[in-house]
């Protein structure tokens, strides 16, 4: 926790020497993991002319010239993929304004990687291997569960089929307030964050096949029950969200449509609209290879490895 | 009054919720990998003392509550109201039974206590953590029983009844912890 303005102690790091050493070792292990698999490390800009339009992400920016601190290296990496880079990873800083809490800091360290010609199932297997190689014990192995099954098992509702009225009623009970005007996505996010996450199994858990309204930048697919799902997954480590991945959207027209929808929502929320990243769209037009990609929070992984309760225990200084 | 957005929520902040002034006890930021972020907030209703839990979407806001805490001197009780005075301005405030509550048991005239004002009127009164009060009624003391052993009920000058060691007598002054109502020690007159 931050000190109350006593400069004689405030200058000190919020982490320990032991954790500094563990962080250095973790970063080295990640780089070795990818070097052995011939995945190329790329060092893309953190300042960009454009930024995400996702209504739930706010970017920090510089004033003159106006440049945005990237919330993830995704757009730059997709342009590299479209230009024929082959498999790539980035290990660096990302920034998200306003994200501050026990597991969040506006500046954080993100590992993001893309596997051309792979689907999300192959990528989930590789994530489990990476986690085991850096010391995440998983005697039971990583578990996989669909978003539908974990919803049914925990709150007895089918997230794809349940009516918005039923979802909003459960969300209202959880939030202790009226949520009947909220969107399906907001209700699902709330139920998942407060009811389901805390009851996930321990260890490494992959939740996959998300409802269509939680699409972000993933492709749609059809599951074994014939329901349209998003080919998106999240990784949980002892019930803390660690990573989010997709079988990546390739269709420039669909991407443009989702950007417009983002901006419609931003406007409704009173947030500034973000012009589409035309260079990303042009790269999609030129042809992004079929690929799966994932972003993984290194700080949270380190929190798990050293048993930390607060993110400041694993970063050198809190802003 | 101003509005506070979820990113300004911190413990101790006074806000309005469902028409009542509340103090934020705790604010937890929760966000899925992609999607809506939330603040799960525990708030203490300053009128009832009850703690509520409520979840907000990030970016939502609450109106600030016009609530302040001030040290004031307790003057007297007129049978219906308790009267307090601000030491700097000599402004006087009267508080009813609802706002004084059980604190009445610990209020001695001239003592300083903490008055919570809501829209300028007393909402709650808290005594100092430790007060010294005279025993007005108790069974006679047992000589020699100073070390350990039993306790007995004693009525204090404010009407409060607490448990005190057997050796204490009427007319003696004791220190009491007002948060627990427990005897602390014998005080000098």
């Amino acid at each position: 926790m931050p000190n109350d303005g006593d400069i004689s102690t405030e200058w000190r790091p919020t982490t320990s020497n032991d954790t500094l050493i563990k962080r250095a070792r973790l970063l080295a292990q990640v780089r070795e993991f990818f070097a052995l698999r011939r995945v190329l490390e790329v060092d893309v800009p953190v300042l960009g002319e454009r930024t995400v339009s996702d209504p739930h992400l706010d970017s920090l920016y510089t004033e003159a010239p106006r440049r945005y601190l990237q919330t993830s290296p995704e757009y730059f990496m997709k342009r590299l993929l479209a230009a024929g880079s082959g498999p790539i990873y980035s290990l660096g800083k990302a920034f998200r304004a306003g994200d501050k809490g026990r597991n969040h800091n506006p500046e954080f360290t993100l590992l993001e990687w893309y596997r051309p010609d792979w689907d999300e199932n192959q990528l989930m297997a590789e994530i489990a291997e990476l986690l085991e190689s850096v010391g995440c014990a998983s005697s039971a192995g990583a578990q996989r569960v669909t978003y539908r099954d974990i919803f049914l098992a925990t709150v007895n509702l089918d997230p794809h089929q349940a009516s918005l009225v039923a979802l909003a009623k459960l969300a209202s009970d959880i939030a202790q307030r009226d949520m009947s005007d909220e969107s399906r996505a907001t209700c699902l996010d709330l139920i998942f964050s407060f009811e389901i996450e805390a009851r996930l199994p321990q260890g490494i858990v992959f939740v996959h096949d998300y409802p269509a309204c939680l699409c972000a930048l993933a492709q749609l697919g059809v599951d074994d029950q014939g329901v349209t799902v998003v080919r998106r997954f999240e990784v949980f480590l002892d019930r803390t969200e660690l990573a989010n991945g997709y079988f990546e959207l390739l269709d420039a027209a669909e991407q443009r449509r989702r950007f417009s929808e983002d901006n419609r929502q931003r406007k409704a929320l009173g947030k500034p609209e973000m012009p589409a990243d035309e260079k990303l769209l042009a790269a999609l037009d030129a042809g992004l290879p079929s690929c799966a990609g994932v972003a993984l929070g290194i700080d949270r992984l380190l929190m798990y490895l050293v048993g930390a309760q607060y993110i400041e225990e694993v970063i050198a200084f809190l802003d | 009054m101003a509005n506070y957005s979820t990113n300004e929520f911190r413990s101790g902040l006074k806000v309005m919720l469902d028409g009542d002034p509340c103090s934020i006890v705790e604010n937890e930021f929760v966000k899925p990998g992609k999607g809506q972020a939330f603040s799960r907030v525990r708030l203490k209703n300053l009128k009832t003392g009850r703690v509520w839990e409520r979840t907000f979407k990030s970016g939502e806001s609450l109106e600030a509550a016009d609530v302040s805490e001030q040290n004031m001197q307790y003057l007297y009780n007129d049978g219906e109201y308790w009267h307090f005075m601000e030491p700097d301005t000599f402004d006087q405030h009267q508080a009813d039974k609802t706002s004084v509550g059980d604190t009445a048991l610990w209020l001695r005239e001239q003592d300083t206590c903490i008055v919570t004002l809501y829209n300028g009127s007393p909402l709650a009164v808290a005594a100092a953590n430790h007060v010294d009060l005279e025993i007005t009624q108790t069974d006679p003391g047992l000589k020699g029983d100073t070390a350990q052993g039993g306790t007995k009920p004693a009525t204090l000058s404010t009407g409060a009844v607490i448990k005190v060691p057997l050796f204490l007598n009427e007319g003696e002054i004791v220190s009491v912890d007002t948060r627990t109502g427990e005897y602390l020690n014998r005080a000098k007159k």
Side-chain angles (χ1 to χ4, degrees), chain B residues 15-179:
Chain B
V15 293
M16 297 299 293
L17 184 65
D18 296 348
D20 278 354
C22 294
S23 175
I24 290 179
V25 179
E26 201 177 0
N27 174 28
E28 184 193 4
F29 178 80
V30 175
K31 190 174 190 178
K34 286 278 175 195
Q36 177 71 54
F38 301 98
S39 283
R40 172 161 279 192
V41 186
R42 293 177 65 225
L43 307 106
K44 184 177 179 179
N45 183 320
L46 294 173
K47 277 189 169 169
T48 63
R50 260 190 225 120
V51 174
W52 289 346
E53 195 169 83
R54 194 64 73 91
T55 301
F56 298 91
K57 293 189 293 176
S58 279
E60 287 186 312
S61 58
L62 287 174
E63 191 190 338
D66 179 13
V67 169
S68 61
E69 288 180 347
Q70 292 198 25
N71 285 329
M72 290 193 202
Q73 193 177 46
Y74 169 54
L75 300 176
Y76 63 96
N77 171 261
D78 64 13
E80 186 176 4
Y81 293 104
W82 285 257
H83 296 260
F84 300 87
M85 183 179 70
E86 294 186 36
D88 300 333
T89 60
F90 307 112
D91 282 349
Q92 292 194 20
H93 299 270
Q94 59 177 34
D96 62 15
K97 186 155 184 53
T98 320
S99 26
V100 176
D102 289 344
T103 302
L105 294 174
W106 314 116
L107 289 178
R108 192 178 63 169
E109 291 173 9
Q110 316 302 325
D111 274 1
T112 297
C113 48
I114 302 154
V115 178
T116 304
L117 293 174
Y118 168 51
N119 292 337
S121 305
L123 180 70
V125 178
N129 290 342
H130 298 167
V131 294
D132 294 346
L133 296 169
E134 184 184 343
I135 297 176
T136 53
Q137 195 280 316
T138 191
D139 291 338
L142 293 174
K143 261 212 170 118
D145 195 353
T146 54
Q148 56 192 44
T151 57
K152 60 180 180 180
T155 306
L156 307 180
S157 54
T158 54
V161 179
I162 66 164
K163 286 178 177 164
V164 299
L166 296 174
F167 62 83
L168 287 167
N169 285 303
E170 288 176 7
E172 289 193 276
I173 308 284
V174 291
S175 284
V176 188
D177 188 321
T178 60
R179 295 161 297 185

Side-chain angles (χ1 to χ4, degrees), chain A residues 54 56-57 74 96 98-102 104 174-177 179 182 186 189-190 193-194 197 216 232 234 241 244 246, chain B residues 6-7 17-18 26-41 52-60:
Chain A
D54 184 326
H56 304 302
L57 287 178
E74 180 164 5
R96 295 179 186 178
D99 286 12
K100 203 153 180 49
R102 202 166 74 84
H104 292 84
I174 295 166
Q176 294 289 298
R177 58 181 289 199
M179 299 288 283
E182 299 297 339
T186 296
D189 279 339
L190 186 124
S193 298
F194 292 103
E197 223 174 271
R232 166 187 168 192
E234 288 203 283
E241 193 257 339
N244 183 72
Y246 304 133
Chain B
T6 50
N7 61 16
L17 184 65
D18 296 348
E26 201 177 0
N27 174 28
E28 184 193 4
F29 178 80
V30 175
K31 190 174 190 178
K34 286 278 175 195
Q36 177 71 54
F38 301 98
S39 283
R40 172 161 279 192
V41 186
W52 289 346
E53 195 169 83
R54 194 64 73 91
T55 301
F56 298 91
K57 293 189 293 176
S58 279
E60 287 186 312

Side-chain angles (χ1 to χ4, degrees), chain A residues 57-116:
Chain A
L57 287 178
D58 295 316
S59 302
L60 296 164
Y61 53 85
T62 59
E63 284 294 347
R66 176 65 72 106
R67 291 288 181 272
Y68 297 94
L69 286 157
Q70 299 293 291
T71 59
S72 91
E74 180 164 5
Y75 294 179
F76 285 118
M77 292 182 81
K78 285 185 171 170
R79 285 163 63 186
L80 290 175
L81 289 159
S85 65
I88 48 174
Y89 77 95
S90 154
L91 182 52
K93 296 285 192 179
F95 302 83
R96 295 179 186 178
D99 286 12
K100 203 153 180 49
R102 202 166 74 84
N103 289 317
H104 292 84
N105 196 47
E107 172 179 340
F108 61 103
T109 302
L110 194 63
L111 167 65
E112 184 151 328
W113 78 99
Y114 291 87
R115 283 293 204 167

